[in-house]
Amino acid sequence: MNVLILGSGGREHAFADQISKSKLLNKLYIAPGNAGTGLCGTNVNLSLIDFDAIRNCVISLHINLVIVGPEDPLVNGIVDFFEQDELLKNIPIIGPSKKGAQLEGSKDFSKQFMMRHSIPTAQYQTFTQNQLKEGIAFLKTLHPPYVLKADGLAAGKGVIISSNINEATQELTEMLQNLKFGNASSSVVIEEFLDGIELSTFVLTNGTDYLILPEAKDYKRIGDGDTGLNTGGMGAVSPVPFADKAFMKKVEDQIVIPTIKGLKNEQIPYLGFLFIGLMNINGNPFVIEYNCRMGDPETEVVLPRIKNDLLEVLSKAANGNLNEIILDIDTQTAATIMLVSGGYPENYEKGFEISGLNNLYESTVYHAGTVLENNIVKTNGGRVLAITSLATNLTQAFNKSYQTAASIKFSGKYNRGDLGKDLIKYL
Ligand code: AMP
Ligand code: GLY
């Protein structure tokens, strides 16, 4: 098979790495890719908002399967674009329809969906631009902390949590009236604060059958001890020590099954990954959010634990035979740490040479923001590299990744130093 992966982050490198080892693979392409994906296949330079360029690429390269990494093309309807095109409509594309992607593309849509299907989540109300007064009145009926969410996609920045009613009121005004997050905040979901511990679960479904992939926990804040600004993710680990069998059974029964049944009953086509952000409150799961794709850096710890031929799994999902797959999961712990550019998630510089990438026996290095220029690998983004290690336990896995991290160098390199420490008490 000829496979095209859309995207350019650590997630896409992890997909490319796994798929490059498949016995079913003929040629692998990644668009636009990065310096790491270029080691697994051929990078194709195109923009993910240019659906016509993607179409030309799929046709001219005789692609048999497309995997969509990030959410934007899905929310913008790439799957529907394929379905409506005579030459593309029979080429399987792993990702949900535009309607299915609304589970991530609109917080209000996802909250309404959860309410319709009695899926446990925080209580909420949605307010539009001309309902600022009502929104402020609603805030005053809640207890702090206050949770405000821009309805639309806001590059992971659209959630504001504040303990102060005046600050929350001001933020709501900024979001609704001054469109702090552009059109994404022309509607705002205000919801109850869920006090618990977070983790994520990942499902691959064809809309009928499903596989629950290994769960993971990511670290969102830039600073040690979960301080400072939110990022795309500074590291991740799988399995999650506090997600025991009883808890995961509740996740399946109360969340995964009703979600897939709900999509089916509402005739929303969904072939692809569903990422469910969860809060564990005293052993009970609540949905914080849905994403219509895999997580990054969660993919960098989830995929290394899946021993199956990933391309076979995805082909079966696309052909309606997902029920034939039994997942073979590595019982080891996978831990990844992100090396980021100094200044991230605010302003940072790019173009620094990265050294120490050869001879890394203990870990797998997934490239995120990197580029190959004149045979030199250089930094090309905020999150630069994800370093994943497998070991018999969480402490050893993080230790290995930290050792590898220390041997890789670039100007301004930063990583969190405390990953995994919060979980030791659950071991
Ligand atoms: P989201 O973009 O929906 O993932 O939200 C970003 C982060 O905000 C989540 O990962 C949680 O840490 C936090 N968060 C979102 N909603 C809630 C909530 N209702 N209660 C507590 N924390 C939340
Ligand atoms: N790491 C969080 C995400 O991919 O959305």
Side-chain angles (χ1 to χ4, degrees), residues 226-391:
D226 288 328
T227 53
L229 292 173
N230 256 326
T231 70
M234 296 297 291
V237 62
S238 173
V240 178
F242 58 81
D244 58 19
K245 270 204 174 132
F247 178 77
M248 292 310 290
K249 174 91 173 78
K250 286 184 192 169
V251 171
E252 181 165 10
D253 292 345
Q254 298 173 17
I255 293 167
V256 175
I257 294 174
T259 299
I260 289 169
K261 272 197 183 151
L263 288 165
K264 195 170 179 136
N265 289 344
E266 296 190 25
Q267 296 178 334
I268 300 175
Y270 204 109
L271 165 63
F273 294 97
L274 180 66
F275 161 165
I276 311 175
L278 296 170
M279 196 68 90
N280 175 338
I281 306 181
N282 302 323
N284 290 312
F286 290 79
V287 177
I288 299 178
E289 61 164 354
Y290 289 114
N291 294 309
C292 60
R293 53 172 173 90
M294 283 298 289
D296 194 350
E298 291 90 335
T299 305
E300 291 94 302
V301 291
V302 171
L303 292 189
R305 294 189 59 219
I306 298 178
K307 297 204 247 175
N308 305 62
D309 181 327
L310 185 61
L311 187 49
E312 184 188 5
V313 174
L314 295 177
S315 312
K316 293 232 179 202
N319 296 328
N321 301 321
L322 193 60
N323 57 349
E324 292 174 13
I325 298 282
I326 296 170
L327 282 181
D328 183 8
I329 304 297
D330 195 327
T331 54
Q332 293 185 95
T333 293
T336 199
I337 63 176
M338 271 284 174
L339 304 187
V340 306
S341 299
Y344 172 80
E346 296 186 291
N347 294 337
Y348 56 83
E349 287 180 61
K350 302 192 235 183
F352 296 116
E353 179 172 349
I354 305 172
S355 64
L357 288 173
N358 297 322
N359 310 323
L360 302 171
Y361 301 112
E362 293 285 319
S363 312
T364 306
V365 174
Y366 298 113
H367 291 227
T370 70
V371 64
L372 189 66
E373 271 177 17
N374 303 324
N375 273 330
I376 296 172
V377 180
K378 293 185 176 172
T379 66
N380 192 40
R383 293 192 295 169
V384 177
L385 299 165
I387 297 167
T388 298
S389 308
L390 281 161

Side-chain angles (χ1 to χ4, degrees), residues 130 235 391:
N130 54 9

Side-chain angles (χ1 to χ4, degrees), residues 69-273:
E71 63 277 17
D72 286 281
L74 295 166
V75 173
N76 292 333
I78 182 94
V79 172
D80 308 61
F81 175 84
F82 268 56
E83 270 160 15
Q84 286 151 17
D85 187 286
E86 269 313 300
L87 293 179
L88 300 183
K89 68 180 183 196
N90 294 320
I91 299 172
I93 174 162
I94 306 293
S97 60
K98 186 171 184 169
K99 190 79 200 273
Q102 284 295 94
L103 284 181
E104 175 165 3
S106 165
K107 301 269 187 206
D108 180 57
F109 176 89
S110 76
K111 295 298 284 190
Q112 288 195 34
F113 179 89
M114 287 184 256
M115 292 295 153
R116 280 198 295 280
H117 301 289
S118 306
I119 294 166
T121 188
Q123 293 303 311
Y124 81 107
Q125 274 193 40
T126 302
F127 298 90
T128 52
Q129 266 191 303
N130 54 9
Q131 293 174 310
L132 178 60
K133 259 195 190 155
E134 290 90 331
I136 293 171
F138 181 65
L139 272 179
K140 289 184 178 152
T141 68
L142 300 177
H143 300 287
Y146 307 95
V147 182
L148 310 176
K149 299 186 171 184
D151 177 52
L153 290 185
K157 296 189 180 123
V159 174
I160 286 170
I161 300 180
S162 169
S163 306
N164 179 301
I165 185 70
N166 294 330
E167 191 182 85
T169 303
Q170 197 177 340
E171 284 291 353
L172 182 66
T173 311
E174 283 288 311
M175 287 167 93
L176 279 179
Q177 209 165 50
N178 304 338
L179 294 181
K180 176 172 180 171
F181 299 109
N183 254 346
S185 68
S186 61
S187 276
V188 173
V189 167
I190 302 181
E191 68 178 32
E192 169 200 15
F193 181 80
L194 298 174
D195 196 3
I197 15 176
E198 248 180 287
L199 74 158
S200 299
T201 191
F202 305 90
V203 178
L204 173 65
T205 181
N206 54 13
T208 304
D209 301 307
Y210 64 88
L211 293 174
I212 298 184
L213 312 182
E215 77 285 352
K217 176 164 179 46
D218 79 338
Y219 292 85
K220 289 204 167 67
R221 302 293 196 95
I222 187 75
D224 284 9
D226 288 328
T227 53
L229 292 173
N230 256 326
T231 70
M234 296 297 291
V237 62
S238 173
V240 178
F242 58 81
D244 58 19
K245 270 204 174 132
F247 178 77
M248 292 310 290
K249 174 91 173 78
K250 286 184 192 169
V251 171
E252 181 165 10
D253 292 345
Q254 298 173 17
I255 293 167
V256 175
I257 294 174
T259 299
I260 289 169
K261 272 197 183 151
L263 288 165
K264 195 170 179 136
N265 289 344
E266 296 190 25
Q267 296 178 334
I268 300 175
Y270 204 109
L271 165 63
F273 294 97

Side-chain angles (χ1 to χ4, degrees), residues 392-411:
T392 46
N393 66 43
L394 176 147
T395 311
Q396 285 176 15
F398 272 115
N399 282 347
K400 272 191 186 180
S401 288
Y402 274 116
Q403 268 173 23
T404 305
S407 66
I408 296 175
K409 304 222 159 41
F410 57 88
S411 174

Side-chain angles (χ1 to χ4, degrees), residues 5 11-19 273 294 299 303 310:
I5 299 173
R11 168 182 49 210
E12 288 75 22
H13 188 187
F15 270 106
D17 182 51
Q18 203 103 332
I19 283 174
F273 294 97
M294 283 298 289
T299 305
L303 292 189
L310 185 61

